[in-house]
Amino acid sequence: KQAVSDTKDTLVPVAEYYKGGLNKADYPYVAVALGTGLMSGYPDGSFGPGKTTTRAEVAVILARYVNVQDKDPEDFQDLREMREVGLTGTNLTTATPYRFRKFSGTDKETSFDRIKDKPYKMMYNRGMMTIHRMIVVDADTSKNPKNLYGKMFVDEKFNWPIFDDAYNVFLETTVVPNDNTSLSNAAFPTSTLYNFTQGRGFESGAISKYGLTVLPRVDDFLTTGFFKKDIPRRFWMHRYLGDSGGEMGSGNTLVMFGPPYKPE
């Protein structure tokens, strides 16, 4: 019951979430079914909520339920991540050992939901940015995602390197440009969250599979017609969280009211 409540506003890793065909009222039930392994969906990324369940599928679900019914929701890693995303907008603390820093002189941690869905001015007065979600993906160097959310972003066609000691981070955001100049050098104030620069887009087979809108990987976004003055544009972009990976240098590159840190 608590897991259903926690996932009512989560990101559901099925194709129908962005492509249509999944009612918002069904988000928590699909999330719990996926998160516990009771159901897994189809190879094309769809969940098939409008399909008729076959006798064979029912038999499999019942067999899986035997293993699910005696466990607590906290026992399921994928469900824990979807619960955190539903409550805060990110799966950071369930998908990684990282934690948010505490406010100076207090025991209270900062959190992603403090900035979630709140518009902020971009640097150089280039426009407004609103952060919606931050999804962290743990994948091995062969580009095999280890967590359920990973399949939405990373596959064999993913065009960024995978590092053993760094996580791939995907940020969903909306940008409203103030003018028609290139946004390639614009940035979200680093004191609050995230650099917004050329090269943060990504490519993968999962983009079309799950219906994702992704930041183009070009120097001048205007050449693609992706951004237009005063027109909101919602999209996903990529970055790393970790201690290696060329562009990152040393330490954490993700800044969020004091960067996340990994306890010793």
Side-chain angles (χ1 to χ4, degrees):
K1 182 178 179 179
Q2 187 61 52
V4 167
S5 176
D6 291 349
T7 54
K8 63 183 180 181
D9 293 317
T10 198
L11 170 64
V12 187
V14 296
E16 291 91 349
Y17 185 86
Y18 284 111
K19 291 185 174 182
L22 184 66
N23 295 324
K24 184 174 174 59
D26 294 331
Y27 289 179
Y29 303 102
V30 176
V32 170
L34 289 171
T36 58
L38 195 61
M39 301 177 74
S40 57
Y42 295 92
D44 64 356
S46 67
F47 190 76
K51 293 184 178 181
T52 300
T53 309
T54 66
R55 290 169 59 185
E57 288 170 334
V58 171
V60 172
I61 292 170
L62 291 174
R64 290 175 178 173
Y65 186 72
V66 172
N67 295 321
V68 170
Q69 63 178 339
D70 293 329
K71 295 182 180 180
D72 293 326
E74 290 77 10
D75 294 334
F76 300 98
Q77 173 66 24
D78 291 330
L79 182 57
R80 290 176 58 225
E81 290 185 35
M82 282 189 276
R83 292 173 71 180
E84 185 182 7
V85 171
L87 293 172
T88 71
T90 184
N91 62 335
L92 177 76
T93 64
T94 48
T96 79
Y98 283 83
R99 294 295 179 266
F100 292 99
R101 294 191 182 278
K102 294 180 179 179
F103 288 101
S104 178
T106 74
D107 290 329
K108 183 179 180 181
E109 288 186 345
T110 58
S111 61
F112 184 79
D113 57 331
R114 292 184 66 242
I115 58 171
K116 179 180 179 292
D117 296 329
K118 298 177 182 178
Y120 288 85
K121 287 185 179 179
M122 298 172 70
M123 293 177 67
Y124 317 120
N125 196 33
R126 290 290 172 80
M128 299 294 293
M129 177 182 279
T130 304
I131 307 298
H132 305 295
R133 293 190 179 100
M134 182 178 72
I135 301 298
V136 182
V137 172
D138 186 9
D140 62 29
T141 53
S142 297
K143 299 185 179 180
N144 296 312
K146 299 177 184 179
N147 57 339
L148 188 61
Y149 277 124
K151 68 178 184 178
M152 294 187 69
F153 305 96
V154 177
D155 55 25
E156 69 279 359
K157 296 181 180 180
F158 184 63
N159 63 318
W160 284 95
I162 302 290
F163 301 102
D164 286 330
D165 53 357
Y167 294 93
N168 287 273
V169 179
F170 299 89
L171 200 77
E172 187 179 29
T173 183
T174 295
V175 166
V176 184
N178 275 347
D179 53 45
N180 286 324
T181 60
S182 171
L183 290 173
S184 62
N185 292 320
F188 200 67
T190 55
S191 61
T192 46
L193 182 70
Y194 207 83
N195 283 338
F196 173 69
T197 56
Q198 174 268 334
R200 299 305 177 195
F202 61 96
E203 299 168 3
S204 73
I207 292 175
S208 58
K209 190 175 183 179
Y210 288 93
L212 304 179
T213 300
V214 174
L215 181 72
R217 291 195 67 199
V218 294
D219 290 334
D220 189 338
F221 299 126
L222 290 178
T223 62
T224 67
F226 190 78
F227 290 115
K228 295 180 181 179
K229 181 182 177 182
D230 298 329
I231 303 298
R233 189 61 145 144
R234 186 161 177 158
F235 57 91
W236 288 92
M237 58 182 176
H238 168 266
R239 201 160 180 178
Y240 294 101
L241 173 65
D243 297 319
S244 69
E247 64 172 289
M248 296 190 302
S250 61
N252 304 319
T253 58
L254 204 60
V255 180
M256 189 179 335
F257 294 112
Y261 72 100
K262 185 163 58 177
E264 295 297 335

